[in-house]
DNA sequence: CTGTTAGCGCTTTCAA
DNA sequence: TTGAAAGCGCTAACAG
């Protein structure tokens, strides 16, 4: 049945015919047990409703499929507590795991890492962990956005934060601190944001009250909600307040006004994650870790600061 | 180890301690083989990059997780030819399958259905197939949109088609025919559209040339691209041309102008799909098939027809 | 070249 | 109450 039969073709045909007649269908399960591999990998994200993670999943799944691998998905619902159990459970069902932006504390992740191997990490670097890691330079990306706003004359900015457990939020914060050191006359207010467009919408009033002339949102989802909330409050964007996002999700270019953002190649991350994973599974040396640079995408949600 | 041990607690503890020491971790695979169930289901869509399918996946995965089930995803890349093999392969890896908007011909789907059971169908009804089916009344939805445009004075419409293999595209076409019979003075041009925002964008010139005062797009993705393409061509929306979408993806409300659309409860579909599936797996009688009615969501991309 | 067998790691049944 | 054994359906190594 497996194609590499060396006997008489007629016999093979007869066997195949009988198999069809008996409605025989091989058990992938038993095959996996005997072979010791399932040809499936897990992909875990904090929020499957986020287009950025969806884009990675879509490209990871397509890419892995070319090598006969399927992907098992799980959403940790932004819960750092449940994450370790979820991750261990799903890992045991397949051959390997891609952890995307895990929210659990470093210590737990470090403790788990060996058990999880083969493991590929996205958006979470940790020198203690021996696993390929793909990430985005959020620190530099947010600085580029801040510098863009600065060049437009903005001196009072607001940063709408992401989840406190998000490492990439920390990196943005770090980038902002650097920027403040470079441009001491700039003031940046930290405002609590969230993770969804609704959160961004709800933050609009706080942004207006802060008096900032420009708001940097944690990501595009937040920025899109903020944009809308600001408009509803009668605040003109970008005339009165400029807004930036982060990610460049497919819809960022279609908002009103189109969103200035830092563009992240999510599809590329999915492809590269699979390449690293394939190497790991084959016990090859995976390619080097990469830190992708976001690209400034200037659209119409940012403009010169009001007088 | 399985919690229902009847002996001395001290012994159980000692066993557990040894297990931990030996880094014992149960093999889900072997357990599945012995038990004859994997606690995983497959979810197959034509395009994982479509937010409508992503929303279903996200809710299906969350809902199934509550019952200890994981989901294996696959994207058929809109290919009706590869679909049957893909579907059979992934089905054999797990306990059941949810087929979302399959593109393969009816005959093939009917032939496959028995092999695939337990099977839940989304967006594809077929009386020959004995499987729970959840769908959207696209026919009525598009008619509601057309009627909305008609009430605004539009008499020359254009319909931007979806993939030829999409049954839901056919249903929309059917609804439009009904509408034409009801309102004989209305003209509806059929224009080839596609499946992505890029396709919608590319169709903008064709829509303008058609002379229609309103365009109904197959879905929101197409509509958003069309909106943008029209704007780039200097066509004012909705002043000169009204545009409608279908689905009400999360971003439809944030486009410029916000998109009038037929709202489809994708999350609800995911939840209901799991409920049907759970009943099937438990050999219970699944709840009745449902045909959800889209809800007209009037936003600012539609307005009175020009003079 | 063909047919037999052990074993993957679990669950369940049956015997001690 | 505890231990031993059969079997889930496949693969791979081994004799015949």
């Amino acid at each position: 049945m497996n194609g590499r039969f060396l006997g008489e073709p007629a016999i093979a045909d007869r066997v195949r015919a009988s198999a069809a007649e008996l409605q025989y269908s091989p058990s992938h399960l038993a095959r996996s047990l005997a072979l010791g591999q399932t040809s499936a990998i897990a992909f875990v994200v904090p929020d499957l409703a986020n287009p950025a993670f969806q884009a990675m999943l879509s490209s990871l799944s397509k890419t892995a499929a070319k090598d006969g691998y399927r992907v098992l998905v799980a959403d940790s619902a932004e819960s750092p507590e449940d994450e370790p159990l979820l991750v261990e459970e799903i890992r045991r069902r397949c051959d390997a795991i891609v952890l995307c932006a895990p929210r659990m504390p470093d210590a737990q992740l470090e403790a788990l890492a060996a058990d999880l191997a083969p493991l590929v990490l996205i958006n979470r670097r940790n020198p203690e962990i021996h696993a390929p890691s793909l990430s985005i330079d959020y620190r530099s990306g947010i600085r580029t956005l801040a510098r863009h706003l600065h060049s437009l004359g903005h001196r009072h900015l607001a940063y709408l934060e992401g989840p406190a457990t998000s490492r990439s939020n920390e990196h943005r914060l770090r980038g902002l601190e650097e920027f403040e050191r470079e441009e001491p006359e700039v003031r940046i207010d930290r405002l609590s944001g969230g993770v969804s467009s609704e959160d961004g919408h709800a933050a609009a009033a706080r942004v207006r009250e802060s008096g900032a002339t420009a708001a940097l949102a944690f990501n595009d989802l937040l920025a899109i909600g903020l944009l809308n909330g600001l408009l509803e409050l009668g605040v003109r964007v970008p005339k009165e307040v400029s807004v930036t996002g982060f990610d460049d999700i497919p819809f960022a270019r279609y908002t009103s006004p189109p969103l200035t953002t830092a563009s992240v190649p999510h599809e590329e991350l999915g492809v590269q994650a699979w390449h690293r994973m394939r190497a790991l599974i084959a016990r090859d040396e995976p390619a080097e870790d990469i830190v992708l640079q976001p690209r400034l995408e200037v659209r119409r949600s940012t403009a010169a600061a009001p007088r």
Side-chain angles (χ1 to χ4, degrees), chain A:
Chain A
M1 289 304 290
N2 61 13
R4 43 194 166 82
F5 172 68
L6 307 164
E8 283 193 51
I11 296 196
D13 283 344
R14 215 144 50 82
V15 170
R16 254 184 283 276
S18 299
E21 197 176 341
L22 296 168
Q23 298 207 278
Y24 168 79
S25 129
S27 156
H28 191 92
L29 209 57
R31 182 168 201 277
S32 292
L33 185 63
L35 250 31
Q37 70 153 61
T38 63
S39 299
I41 64 169
F43 181 68
V44 182
V45 294
D47 177 16
L48 204 44
N50 185 325
F53 296 138
Q54 291 168 343
M56 293 184 212
L57 168 62
S58 172
S59 92
L60 177 69
S61 143
K62 275 197 195 65
T63 314
K66 290 180 191 153
D67 290 309
Y69 276 74
R70 300 279 168 217
V71 5
L72 211 49
V73 296
D75 180 333
S76 72
E78 295 279 358
S79 161
E81 296 78 34
D82 305 342
E83 222 178 43
L85 257 70
L86 165 65
V87 155
E88 281 207 299
E89 190 272 344
I90 200 167
R91 169 64 184 85
R92 261 188 270 99
R93 293 173 170 250
C94 52
D95 299 341
I97 188 167
V98 176
L99 242 44
C100 188
R103 303 306 200 204
M104 71 184 96
D106 274 306
Q108 285 202 48
L109 187 59
E110 288 163 21
L112 237 61
D115 283 10
L116 296 178
L119 160 70
V120 169
L121 239 30
I122 297 181
N123 273 0
R124 176 91 180 235
R125 294 167 69 198
N126 182 322
E128 304 298 314
I129 296 176
H130 186 68
S133 149
L134 303 171
S135 46
I136 303 296
D137 195 341
Y138 293 102
R139 196 171 46 70
S140 137
I142 199 89
R143 238 172 57 206
T144 304
L145 286 166
R147 187 152 299 290
H148 163 67
L149 292 170
H150 184 263
S151 74
L152 288 170
H154 296 274
R155 294 299 178 265
H156 183 183
L157 313 178
Y159 172 61
L160 215 54
E161 295 199 31
T165 47
S166 160
R167 284 326 166 287
S168 77
N169 181 55
E170 277 178 29
H171 293 149
R172 290 171 177 85
L173 250 10
R174 209 96 70 209
L176 256 13
E177 284 162 20
E178 284 178 28
F179 185 74
E180 282 174 316
R181 276 196 293 277
E182 289 164 19
E183 308 289 349
E185 84 281 14
V186 171
R187 169 180 162 193
I188 309 182
D189 295 337
R190 273 75 169 169
L191 268 36
S192 85
V195 75
S196 66
S197 292
E198 286 64 43
D199 296 332
H201 188 273
R206 265 173 287 141
V207 167
R208 187 179 58 173
E209 280 153 29
S210 77
T213 61
L216 298 129
F218 169 69
N219 68 14
D220 288 351
L221 239 36
L222 228 46
I224 288 170
L226 175 62
L227 223 48
N228 205 254
L230 251 15
L231 257 29
E232 282 177 19
L233 293 175
V235 179
R236 315 275 312 258
V237 177
K239 200 173 178 118
E240 296 172 66
V241 174
S242 287
V243 170
T244 66
F246 210 118
D247 276 346
D248 196 20
I249 62 177
F251 296 93
R253 61 188 321 151
Y254 297 117
T255 56
S256 159
L259 191 63
T260 292
T261 192
S263 185
V264 172
H266 295 110
E267 284 74 16
E268 182 63 14
L269 274 178
V271 171
Q272 292 302 328
W274 173 247
H275 288 166
R276 301 291 185 290
M277 189 53 93
R278 187 175 49 189
L280 242 41
I281 290 173
R283 298 176 165 281
D284 274 353
E285 192 62 32
E288 288 196 335
D289 287 357
I290 46 182
V291 179
L292 296 169
Q293 291 300 321
R295 184 174 40 76
L296 175 65
E297 192 69 51
V298 178
R299 292 199 269 250
R300 298 208 312 276
S301 68
T302 49
R307 51 143 277 116

